[in-house]
Amino acid sequence: LDAILKTRGLTVINKTDYRGALNLHRKTGVKMPDCIIATQLGNGRMLCTYDREFLKVPGIVVAEPKEVLTRLAA
């Protein structure tokens, strides 16, 4: 990670909303790392994951990889 961050001309865009993630964690009990991911997605976005914990997060569509592939094939 250190080598990547030291790359010349690299711009890191950080969309992490730590306050929002903490509020989401308090409201839902979802693990903090998952809350950080959830707040980066925004409402109505689909998250492709096997982690069923994300189903507790309002406003995020959760789909397993096989479901995503089925939707893409349709």
Side-chain angles (χ1 to χ4, degrees), residues 47-55 61-65 67-68:
L47 178 63
C48 180
T49 182
Y50 290 109
D51 188 344
R52 308 309 286 172
E53 189 81 356
F54 283 101
L55 292 170
V61 178
V62 179
E64 289 188 2
E67 295 174 76
V68 174

Side-chain angles (χ1 to χ4, degrees), residues 24-50:
L24 184 60
H25 171 70
R26 288 177 178 150
K27 289 179 187 175
T28 64
V30 172
K31 296 174 284 195
M32 189 63 184
D34 290 349
C35 289
I36 291 170
I37 292 168
T39 57
Q40 291 176 341
L41 293 174
N43 270 349
R45 299 313 271 300
M46 180 183 291
L47 178 63
C48 180
T49 182
Y50 290 109

